[in-house]
Amino acid sequence: MNSGFYDLEVLKTTNSSFTDFWRDELTTLPEMPDRVLSTKVLCQWTFVEDKLEVLQQTPFDKIYAGAKRNTLDALANDPRAWVHASVQTTLYIMADRILNDFKAVDDVYYALPNIHYFPFDLSKFGLKNLQADAEVYMPIADPSGYITATVSRPPKGRL
């Protein structure tokens, strides 16, 4: 049995760097010591049990609220997700928290599309708004990453 939530819009405006990543000839994103992180979270989880009598005792509302809380808290407050972290790292942190908090959950799937915002060049208006002076940002329509992963418990009997 599955549960989850979708279209949880997240906009984080500080404490999210993206630097020192692997680059190749197709890399288009610049390194950003502090960037806007934005996504629309899709999170789904599968329950371990399929027996009706066990499922009737499962606190679905607490798991739902905890999964949403863990997702937002990891994005906002977990220092591992702040500095030099990829969205993939943050995804793992969020899923790991859910698996640790709720033994009834067997695996967690996330889809996190990147929604990029870059400083808008206001120099033609005589205003500084690039690098350290950036205050006005604009979302870009260019193709962006679509990060997905499933984090699962090991099969029973295996560590």
Side-chain angles (χ1 to χ4, degrees):
M1 184 163 75
N2 296 321
S3 189
F5 55 86
Y6 64 95
D7 284 346
L8 176 62
E9 294 188 39
V10 175
L11 178 65
K12 182 177 180 178
T13 59
T14 191
N15 286 332
S16 179
S17 70
F18 190 53
T19 59
D20 301 326
F21 54 88
W22 187 80
R23 302 179 79 77
D24 66 11
E25 67 277 3
L26 301 176
T27 303
T28 58
L29 290 175
E31 293 198 11
M32 304 287 281
D34 200 16
R35 65 172 177 171
V36 172
L37 184 147
S38 180
T39 189
K40 277 190 174 184
V41 178
L42 165 66
C43 179
Q44 297 174 323
W45 52 90
T46 305
F47 292 99
V48 174
E49 290 293 339
D50 57 1
K51 296 182 182 103
L52 180 60
E53 59 276 0
V54 176
L55 288 171
Q56 288 174 330
Q57 302 303 315
T58 302
F60 295 109
D61 55 342
K62 289 182 182 177
I63 294 170
Y64 176 88
K68 194 176 264 190
R69 181 189 65 247
N70 278 326
T71 298
L72 294 172
D73 189 60
L75 284 162
N77 297 318
D78 195 316
R80 297 172 296 169
W82 292 356
V83 181
H84 309 293
S86 64
V87 174
Q88 292 86 340
T89 301
T90 305
L91 182 154
Y92 178 80
I93 291 167
M94 295 183 306
D96 187 55
R97 284 175 161 211
I98 293 169
L99 291 172
N100 283 324
D101 284 357
F102 302 105
K103 300 305 179 203
V105 174
D106 191 45
D107 62 50
V108 180
Y109 169 83
Y110 276 103
L112 304 169
N114 283 334
I115 302 170
H116 293 289
Y117 288 77
F118 289 112
F120 186 74
D121 185 0
L122 296 173
S123 61
K124 59 185 162 195
F125 303 109
L127 300 170
K128 290 182 179 181
N129 191 58
L130 298 175
Q131 279 83 29
D133 299 314
E135 291 183 14
V136 177
Y137 291 82
M138 186 171 106
I140 62 165
D142 295 339
S144 298
Y146 191 76
I147 294 85
T148 66
T150 301
V151 180
S152 302
R153 296 184 187 285
K156 289 186 180 183
R158 292 185 58 202
L159 294 177

